[in-house]
Amino acid sequence: MRKERKIIDVFSLSFLDVVSCGFGAIILLLVLSKVSEPLVREKISRDLRGEVQRLEQQLVAIRDNAKSAKRELALSKRQLAARSLQLEKLQQELAVLKAKYSAGRLDVTARQRIKAQMETALQKLTVEMRRLQAQKIPSPPDSPIGGVPVDSEYIIFVIDTSGSMQRYAWPLVRRKMAETLAVYPHVKGIQVMNDMGDYMFSQYAGRWIPDTPARRRAILKRLASWSPFSNSSPVEGITRAIRRFHTPGRRISIYVLGDDFSRGSIQAVIDTVDRLNRAGPDGKRLVRIHAIGFPVLLLKGGAEENAARFAALMRRLALDNNGSFVGLSGLGVHR
């Protein structure tokens, strides 16, 4: 016979016991977790406070390092600026030394050329003097005084007013001016300029000063305290005098009084004057150019090559322009 299956009741007492035990275990776990939660929180909080303190210490150290780095950066910038200034100064000094070296080489070359020109001129002069002495030609009535022709109707003085002339040669300059004026008892016009082309009397700028005893005295009196700016080069005064005053048919003489020619090319000056002061149909120049050289640089110490350049330039200008060059051997005064 077949046995009948026993019907199981799922809501029996045993099942309920199991369910109750499960709920009880869950409640026990919840109770245990609540009991341990404050300890866990305290531990976590303590750990977080320690981490915060550590991070704050790191932040302070980082800030200190940043300040130190800023100070070092500022110091480095100042050092870099100082080094840049020093480098710029050294570069400027190097440029000056290079310029001096180049100028020195040019000066040596110019000095050698001037020396050669002066030696050649001296040789020619010696030969010419011997020839003239052998001829013994009697002097004509209008012969030059002291080698300087005095047949001009108008005279212009171009005077170097530089510091060297003012300090050491000015009494002699005034004396030579008086002597030169005395050589010309009467002329139709006088003019006085400095080596830059500035006029002694502004009211007579660009026109002739009448030749009267009063005007001559005024010129010599004004010369005692006359000291306009000068660049120690007679070129500007000579060229301005020729451009402004040369006139066909007028006999004009320019007297250059100076001691120095410190810059520019001698040949360029000669070419410029030659272009301005062309010869007339009779072969004579419109303007005579005479010069008196004062040995200031030779006697008082200075650039002797500049004195030699002045002498070479004025000798050539006087030779080309029907004039004479007189080189003084002393200053005639003692200081």
Side-chain angles (χ1 to χ4, degrees), residues 44-56:
I44 293 174
S45 178
R46 186 167 57 251
D47 293 342
L48 290 176
R49 282 197 298 271
E51 185 67 18
V52 168
Q53 290 177 354
R54 186 178 64 82
L55 292 175
E56 287 179 347

Side-chain angles (χ1 to χ4, degrees), residues 265-275 312-313 316-317 320:
S265 166
I266 292 177
Q267 189 59 49
V269 177
I270 293 171
D271 294 340
T272 301
V273 174
D274 183 68
R275 186 174 63 254
L313 172 63
R316 179 61 185 275
L317 288 181
D320 291 348

Side-chain angles (χ1 to χ4, degrees), residues 115-296:
K115 183 179 179 182
Q117 292 174 0
M118 292 183 70
E119 290 176 350
T120 303
L122 180 60
Q123 293 174 358
K124 291 181 179 179
L125 180 61
T126 303
V127 173
E128 183 68 13
M129 289 174 65
R130 291 174 180 173
R131 185 181 66 81
L132 292 175
Q133 288 176 356
Q135 290 180 357
K136 296 182 180 180
I137 300 174
S139 299
D142 59 347
S143 63
I145 298 178
V148 179
V150 292
D151 58 344
S152 298
E153 301 172 323
Y154 300 85
I155 52 176
I156 303 172
F157 293 95
V158 177
I159 305 173
D160 183 350
T161 56
S162 62
S164 59
M165 290 285 287
Q166 293 278 343
R167 284 192 298 271
Y168 302 114
W170 212 241
L172 186 57
V173 170
R174 295 167 58 191
R175 194 171 76 196
K176 292 303 176 183
M177 276 282 292
E179 292 175 357
T180 305
L181 287 173
V183 170
Y184 295 87
H186 181 72
V187 292
K188 296 180 179 180
I190 303 173
Q191 188 52 262
V192 183
M193 311 166 69
N194 82 330
D195 55 316
M196 297 290 292
D198 299 327
Y199 295 93
M200 174 180 278
F201 298 103
S202 58
Q203 65 269 32
Y204 288 104
R207 59 195 184 97
W208 293 106
I209 301 173
D211 183 17
T212 65
R215 283 287 94 196
R216 291 191 176 209
R217 288 194 298 270
I219 289 172
L220 295 176
K221 182 179 179 181
R222 180 74 177 90
L223 184 62
S225 58
W226 190 49
S227 58
F229 172 76
S230 164
N231 65 352
S232 293
S233 172
V235 177
E236 293 86 349
I238 295 172
T239 55
R240 182 171 294 183
I242 296 174
R243 284 193 176 100
R244 179 63 188 87
F245 292 102
H246 85 279
T247 304
R250 285 185 177 178
R251 290 180 295 176
I252 302 172
S253 285
I254 296 176
Y255 283 85
V256 181
L257 285 71
D259 69 330
D260 187 4
F261 180 52
S262 59
R263 62 187 182 87
S265 166
I266 292 177
Q267 189 59 49
V269 177
I270 293 171
D271 294 340
T272 301
V273 174
D274 183 68
R275 186 174 63 254
L276 294 174
N277 192 29
R278 293 189 177 278
D282 57 353
K284 294 183 178 181
R285 304 278 180 170
L286 295 174
V287 179
R288 290 184 185 272
I289 298 179
H290 309 292
I292 302 176
F294 295 79
V296 174

Side-chain angles (χ1 to χ4, degrees), residues 297-311:
L297 300 181
L298 300 178
L299 299 180
K300 297 299 181 180
E304 295 183 6
E305 64 271 17
N306 292 344
R309 280 164 53 82
F310 177 83

Side-chain angles (χ1 to χ4, degrees), residues 18-165:
V18 172
V19 172
S20 298
C21 289
F23 279 117
I26 292 172
I27 293 171
L28 182 60
L29 289 173
L30 291 174
V31 171
L32 291 176
S33 65
K34 289 292 182 181
V35 171
S36 61
E37 184 176 357
L39 297 176
V40 173
R41 287 183 177 178
E42 182 179 359
K43 182 179 180 182
I44 293 174
S45 178
R46 186 167 57 251
D47 293 342
L48 290 176
R49 282 197 298 271
E51 185 67 18
V52 168
Q53 290 177 354
R54 186 178 64 82
L55 292 175
E56 287 179 347
Q57 292 174 354
Q58 290 181 356
L59 179 61
V60 170
I62 291 172
R63 286 177 177 174
D64 292 340
N65 292 334
K67 291 180 180 180
S68 178
K70 287 182 179 179
R71 288 193 296 269
E72 292 179 356
L73 179 61
L75 179 61
S76 299
K77 287 182 177 180
R78 288 194 296 270
Q79 291 177 347
L80 179 61
R83 295 288 175 81
S84 299
L85 290 175
Q86 186 178 6
L87 178 61
E88 183 178 356
K89 183 178 179 181
L90 291 175
Q91 289 176 342
Q92 292 175 353
E93 291 178 354
L94 178 60
V96 171
L97 290 175
K98 287 182 177 179
K100 287 183 177 179
Y101 175 73
S102 301
R105 293 182 62 185
L106 292 175
D107 287 344
V108 170
T109 303
R111 194 181 307 172
Q112 292 174 348
R113 291 180 180 176
I114 292 169
K115 183 179 179 182
Q117 292 174 0
M118 292 183 70
E119 290 176 350
T120 303
L122 180 60
Q123 293 174 358
K124 291 181 179 179
L125 180 61
T126 303
V127 173
E128 183 68 13
M129 289 174 65
R130 291 174 180 173
R131 185 181 66 81
L132 292 175
Q133 288 176 356
Q135 290 180 357
K136 296 182 180 180
I137 300 174
S139 299
D142 59 347
S143 63
I145 298 178
V148 179
V150 292
D151 58 344
S152 298
E153 301 172 323
Y154 300 85
I155 52 176
I156 303 172
F157 293 95
V158 177
I159 305 173
D160 183 350
T161 56
S162 62
S164 59
M165 290 285 287

